[in-house]
Amino acid sequence: MKDSFIHKGKRKQLLDQLRAKGIGDERVLEAMNQVPRHFFMDSGFLDHAYSDKAFPIAADQTISQPYTVAKQTELLQCSPGHKILEIGTGSGYQSAVLVALGVQLYTVERQNELFKKSSLLLKKMGFNPKKIIFGDGYKGFPDSAPYDGIIVTAGAPFVPMPLLAQLKIGGRLVIPLGEKDQVMTLFQRISEKKFDKSTHGPCKFVPLLADKN
Ligand code: SAH
């Protein structure tokens, strides 16, 4: 696959749509400009890579909508060198955007098929996370904690306590909370025991699966 002139043009148009929808962080938009989303799509949907929609990928999962990727990344407020944990590698698209922002990324995926596929793709494209973990995101990844930020890219029925525990003081957890529909929620760790919570609008994700599903 190539990243052609046409793809680049469509990507610029998508970024303008995201600006019009209220995304203001130009560093996030520039990172999204560096990542060819069509590489992360299943072949049947290639023509739609630059429409602002979620699409099916393997294992009954989805590649997140570009607006959602932009919004979650903006809420994370990460800077180059930050240690970030992502739950739900999926297609690897959100992971690539975070790597393009210069963070040290740890990303966890519980489905082996996606774990293998996205590990290969990210490596091939040169968007290298520090580590891609095959495991259960409800547990976070304690080995490399604490994190400056944690981003969950599936709908969580409740806040997994290990994720809050693995945040640095000042760190941010961005998580869609709810069963069928979710509310984008941000927790910021103020002190050892205190967290600030704010909500950022409705959203729709595939569910964060519990271990035995
Ligand atoms: N960030 C992805 C979004 C993928 S959809 C992208 O940009 O494409 C959500 C992903 O979360 C799916 O790949 C799903 O397999 C994964 N997931 C679901 N439950 C999980 C869990 N408990 N731990 C880790 N990953 C999980």
Side-chain angles (χ1 to χ4, degrees), residues 3 5 74 80 82 90 98 106 121 141 144 155 163 172 201:
D3 191 22
F5 184 70
E74 202 171 60
H82 270 179
L98 289 166
Y106 296 79
L121 179 63
F141 185 58
S144 299
L163 300 187
R172 299 159 82 88

Side-chain angles (χ1 to χ4, degrees), residues 175-193:
I175 181 166
L177 274 182
E179 303 265 359
K180 201 157 163 275
D181 299 292
Q182 297 87 30
V183 176
M184 191 59 75
T185 310
L186 169 68
F187 292 89
Q188 193 169 5
R189 189 168 202 169
I190 305 302
S191 65
E192 192 57 39
K193 296 223 167 98

Side-chain angles (χ1 to χ4, degrees), residues 57-59 61-64 69 86-95 108-111 114 135-138 153-154 205-211:
I57 53 172
Q61 302 302 318
T62 53
I63 175 169
S64 299
V69 171
E86 177 191 25
I87 307 299
T89 316
S91 68
Y93 177 65
Q94 169 79 70
S95 318
V108 184
E109 173 57 53
R110 85 186 280 281
Q111 310 232 38
L114 289 168
D136 177 14
Y138 276 97
T153 69
F205 282 80
V206 292
L208 187 67
L209 302 165
D211 238 357

